[in-house]
Amino acid sequence: MATPVVTKTAWKLQEIVAHASNVSSLVLGKASGRLLATGGDDCRVNLWSINKPNCIMSLTGHTSPVESVRLNTPEELIVAGSQSGSIRVWDLEAAKILRTLMGHKANICSLDFHPYGEFVASGSQDTNIKLWDIRRKGCVFRYRGHSQAVRCLRFSPDGKWLASAADDHTVKLWDLTAGKMMSEFPGHTGPVNVVEFHPNEYLLASGSSDRTIRFWDLEKFQVVSCIEGEPGPVRSILFNPDGCCLYSGCQDSLRVYGWEPERCFDVVLVHWGKVADLAICNNQLIGVAFSQSNVSSYVVDLTRVTRTGTVARDPVQDSRPPTQQPPHPSAPLRRIYERPSTACSKPQRVKQNSESERRSPSSEDDRDERESRAEIQNAEDYNEIFQPKNSISRTPPRRSEPFPAPPEDDMATAKEAAKPSPATDAQFPVPNICPGGAGTLEVLSRPPVVTSTPAPKAEPAIFPATRNEPIGLKASDFLPAVKIPQQAELVDEDAMSQIRKGHDTMCVVLTSRHKNLDTVRGVWTTGDIKTSVDSAVAINDLSVVVDLLNIVNQKASLWKLDLCTTVLPQIEKLLQSKYESYVQTGCTSLKLILQRFLPLITDILAAPPSVGVDISREERLHKCRLCYKQLKSISSLVKSKSGLSGRHGSAFRELHLLMASLD
């Protein structure tokens, strides 16, 4: 009988270079889970279809980096806030600017669309929250109360309330109709980064840099429970659509929580680093993360994730929606949000108004259109996603199939990962904190976790600067083949021997490096930078050169022409290194040299010979010739690597442009 194919629970979907410079913000379309918007330091907003390599549309108009982006529920409008405090709203179907909203005095840190009306809320570093009417192009109301930057805004599902989270450690709830604060929720001991409303009940969740998630009752205005022990600051949370659990995107993992009582249902390893946003579609959770100019997307198969703490039910119960489960005995029945009955017709008003305004635009709208453009870069994807084929309302993109789960790369690793490990069988301590009392520790066991990414078979060609796992070690080496209590001692010994393997060698390497750095530091204290670099080069250890260049790169004024003659041969070695951090340092140093000295070098070499003897000029000319020769040698290397993808390719392409005058 054929062995069934074991597929991954979580996997990396793709990685794209999203902007010419660093990515500063991004958001997923929550309705489709397939639309991604990114904002960058290049002042652009780019639209992408998940798992497709090409940009669909690029929106211009901002004159400073885009700090926050948000899509409305039908994914027809997008709003972007910039570092200067300006806000722009684009109509994606018409591919045009819809509104420019001015009023904040500092960075726009957070944005959200009203679920039913034509309103946008914005939170800024100026501590103010503003509610904007898109149709009338004006500020409807300003909410004051926070004392530091407002990091997250969310409208309630019924559109009556607005929740705000800020760096002042508080969460506030605002009544939109009354125009005032309803309640303040203190309790966090660090900046609050994110808030989310429960999709059905009067419940609010907040995540903070204090590594806790708190749940708040919106009828009694008090804390329900608190999850502690997150591995890092909480930046991304999302309720399951039926409200049965809360997902928390942690450092390299996804955690699934319940709140009455507070407990962890599951932990799934996902090597996504610091995940920035989450969305759910087709029983799959999509997570996106960004680093410099790159954006990576990941998928978690929710059918293989434990989302409740109840025992298995019979088939009749299994056929019912999860929302029909009886509540936990200790869970009070909360009120359910009442959605407006006219919800379906309201969003269309923006469309009709925007069409009429485009037919007879004002002079101010004309200026907006001139300053802001929507550049369609992939017409096929744009037509499929944003251009309706008929008058029936739809959510772009059209209903899509789940992303296929790839098989495990190594079946042995997959079998090993499927077995319970000491780490995953360990009991998970969850603090049980009463709303008004002290916390007591309640230990709950949870199901084993299936790791999603198998151990690498071979060392990579380039070692990333930020690695999720040690080089040359396999997790499976530390796991027992069969979990038998009698083998525990033997397994511990094997594990320790694996850990100690190469330890003495590593100690020798680090001791030698420390000694070399001490030598360089002794010369550095004399104030002679050139001699310090010469001593680092003489040691013949690239790691010491990298450490020194990382210091020199921070202060451009330290660079002199004679320093370039020493450093350029080392830069050529760094650019060919297999270590990503070495390549990055080499690129940074070369960029500084090109920007500061290339015009000087070319001018001196092009100047006519001087009359008489000028020793200092002759020395400078000799240094320039030497630098020019070295730069020509590096130029061919940079040109050959400029075709690479990812941030490496982007850095080399920038260097290639700076070195164009050498050709």
Side-chain angles (χ1 to χ4, degrees), residues 284-502:
Q284 291 180 331
L285 183 138
I286 315 298
V288 284
F290 63 90
S291 174
Q292 296 184 348
S293 61
N294 289 24
V295 173
S296 303
S297 52
Y298 299 81
V299 181
V300 179
D301 184 357
L302 295 181
T303 61
R304 298 173 63 180
V305 174
T306 305
R307 288 179 274 183
T308 61
T310 57
V311 295
R313 297 167 291 171
D314 58 56
V316 175
Q317 288 177 315
D318 286 339
S319 65
R320 294 185 305 198
T323 51
Q324 295 181 15
Q325 295 177 25
H328 190 278
S330 65
L333 288 172
R334 290 194 184 83
R335 288 177 59 187
I336 304 298
Y337 293 108
E338 297 176 2
R339 269 74 167 182
S341 58
T342 57
C344 293
S345 61
K346 274 196 173 183
Q348 297 174 3
R349 265 204 333 253
V350 177
K351 211 77 203 111
Q352 293 160 2
N353 289 343
S354 62
E355 290 293 340
S356 62
E357 285 167 5
R358 281 194 292 270
R359 283 194 294 270
S360 56
S362 65
S363 59
E364 198 170 350
D365 289 335
D366 278 340
R367 190 177 71 250
D368 285 345
E369 288 198 14
R370 286 195 303 270
E371 293 175 352
S372 304
R373 297 194 312 276
E375 302 167 1
I376 300 173
Q377 301 186 357
N378 190 319
E380 184 179 347
D381 286 345
Y382 168 78
N383 291 331
E384 178 185 349
I385 294 173
F386 296 116
Q387 288 294 330
K389 300 297 185 295
N390 49 50
S391 59
I392 300 175
S393 62
R394 53 86 190 105
T395 299
R398 294 171 297 178
R399 184 69 176 175
S400 54
E401 294 298 320
F403 294 116
E408 290 285 359
D409 297 333
D410 188 339
M411 294 308 293
T413 306
K415 292 175 184 175
E416 198 68 43
K419 297 174 185 175
S421 68
T424 57
D425 280 345
Q427 291 181 318
F428 188 81
V430 180
N432 185 8
I433 298 179
C434 300
T440 59
L441 196 64
E442 177 184 353
V443 180
L444 298 171
S445 61
R446 59 174 179 78
V449 179
V450 179
T451 55
S452 59
T453 307
K457 297 179 185 176
E459 292 187 356
I462 296 231
F463 296 118
T466 54
R467 293 186 289 273
N468 296 318
E469 53 190 22
I471 297 171
L473 293 180
K474 294 184 179 181
S476 58
D477 291 341
F478 301 96
L479 300 177
V482 181
K483 189 178 178 184
I484 302 175
Q486 293 88 321
Q487 290 186 351
E489 186 176 350
L490 178 61
V491 170
D492 287 346
E493 290 176 359
D494 290 345
M496 290 304 296
S497 66
Q498 288 288 342
I499 292 171
R500 291 196 186 101
K501 188 183 295 182

Side-chain angles (χ1 to χ4, degrees), residues 13-146:
L13 195 60
Q14 68 170 166
E15 183 173 355
I16 56 173
V17 180
H19 289 266
S21 57
N22 288 344
V23 177
S24 49
S25 56
L26 56 74
V27 69
L28 281 165
K30 299 299 185 288
S32 66
R34 294 295 187 268
L35 189 61
L36 171 68
T38 61
D41 286 352
D42 57 4
C43 311
R44 286 176 173 261
V45 178
N46 291 339
L47 276 297
W48 308 82
S49 182
I50 293 291
N51 206 29
K52 291 191 178 181
N54 299 320
C55 178
I56 302 170
M57 191 188 315
S58 187
L59 309 174
T60 64
H62 278 299
T63 56
S64 59
V66 178
E67 295 287 317
S68 182
V69 287
R70 190 76 179 171
L71 290 156
N72 73 337
T73 304
E75 299 175 7
E76 297 170 347
L77 305 178
I78 186 171
V79 60
S82 73
Q83 204 173 75
S84 65
S86 67
I87 300 169
R88 292 175 185 260
V89 184
W90 284 272
D91 185 326
L92 297 179
E93 283 191 4
K96 287 188 178 182
I97 183 75
L98 190 61
R99 286 286 180 263
T100 299
L101 308 170
M102 309 291 289
H104 283 291
K105 298 177 182 177
N107 300 23
I108 304 297
C109 303
S110 51
L111 294 162
D112 198 26
F113 274 101
H114 191 276
Y116 302 113
E118 299 80 28
F119 300 99
V120 168
S122 59
S124 169
Q125 202 161 5
D126 63 13
T127 74
N128 290 327
I129 300 168
K130 294 195 175 189
L131 184 65
W132 307 86
D133 188 330
I134 300 174
R135 298 164 301 173
R136 299 178 183 175
K137 201 177 180 181
C139 178
V140 178
F141 209 89
R142 178 170 58 182
Y143 303 93
R144 294 177 176 177
H146 286 292

Side-chain angles (χ1 to χ4, degrees), residues 142-347:
R142 178 170 58 182
Y143 303 93
R144 294 177 176 177
H146 286 292
S147 58
Q148 293 186 46
V150 181
R151 292 297 173 188
C152 185
L153 292 172
R154 289 292 182 270
F155 284 102
S156 60
D158 60 1
K160 295 178 181 178
W161 300 336
L162 177 67
S164 60
D167 285 351
D168 58 11
H169 306 182
T170 65
V171 176
K172 296 181 188 290
L173 190 66
W174 309 86
D175 187 322
L176 298 180
T177 307
K180 63 181 182 181
M181 186 175 70
M182 290 178 60
S183 182
E184 178 177 330
F185 302 110
H188 284 293
T189 57
V192 188
N193 303 314
V194 61
V195 286
E196 286 290 343
F197 282 94
H198 190 281
N200 303 313
E201 300 177 12
Y202 276 30
L203 184 75
L204 182 72
S206 59
S208 167
S209 293
D210 65 8
R211 301 187 178 188
T212 67
I213 299 172
R214 290 179 178 265
F215 296 90
W216 310 93
D217 189 309
L218 300 183
E219 284 188 285
K220 300 176 182 177
F221 300 112
Q222 64 185 25
V223 67
V224 174
S225 57
C226 176
I227 304 287
E228 294 182 339
E230 285 285 280
V234 182
R235 292 189 177 88
S236 188
I237 58 176
L238 181 68
F239 278 102
N240 200 65
D242 62 14
C244 67
C245 63
L246 179 83
Y247 302 104
S248 175
C250 307
Q251 179 78 26
D252 288 329
S253 67
L254 175 73
R255 297 185 177 225
V256 190
Y257 292 118
W259 50 91
E260 285 179 319
E262 62 274 15
R263 57 210 187 276
C264 181
F265 294 134
D266 209 345
V267 179
V268 182
L269 299 178
V270 193
H271 296 299
W272 53 24
K274 295 179 181 177
V275 65
D277 198 21
L278 304 171
I280 294 175
C281 180
N282 296 327
N283 234 351
Q284 291 180 331
L285 183 138
I286 315 298
V288 284
F290 63 90
S291 174
Q292 296 184 348
S293 61
N294 289 24
V295 173
S296 303
S297 52
Y298 299 81
V299 181
V300 179
D301 184 357
L302 295 181
T303 61
R304 298 173 63 180
V305 174
T306 305
R307 288 179 274 183
T308 61
T310 57
V311 295
R313 297 167 291 171
D314 58 56
V316 175
Q317 288 177 315
D318 286 339
S319 65
R320 294 185 305 198
T323 51
Q324 295 181 15
Q325 295 177 25
H328 190 278
S330 65
L333 288 172
R334 290 194 184 83
R335 288 177 59 187
I336 304 298
Y337 293 108
E338 297 176 2
R339 269 74 167 182
S341 58
T342 57
C344 293
S345 61
K346 274 196 173 183

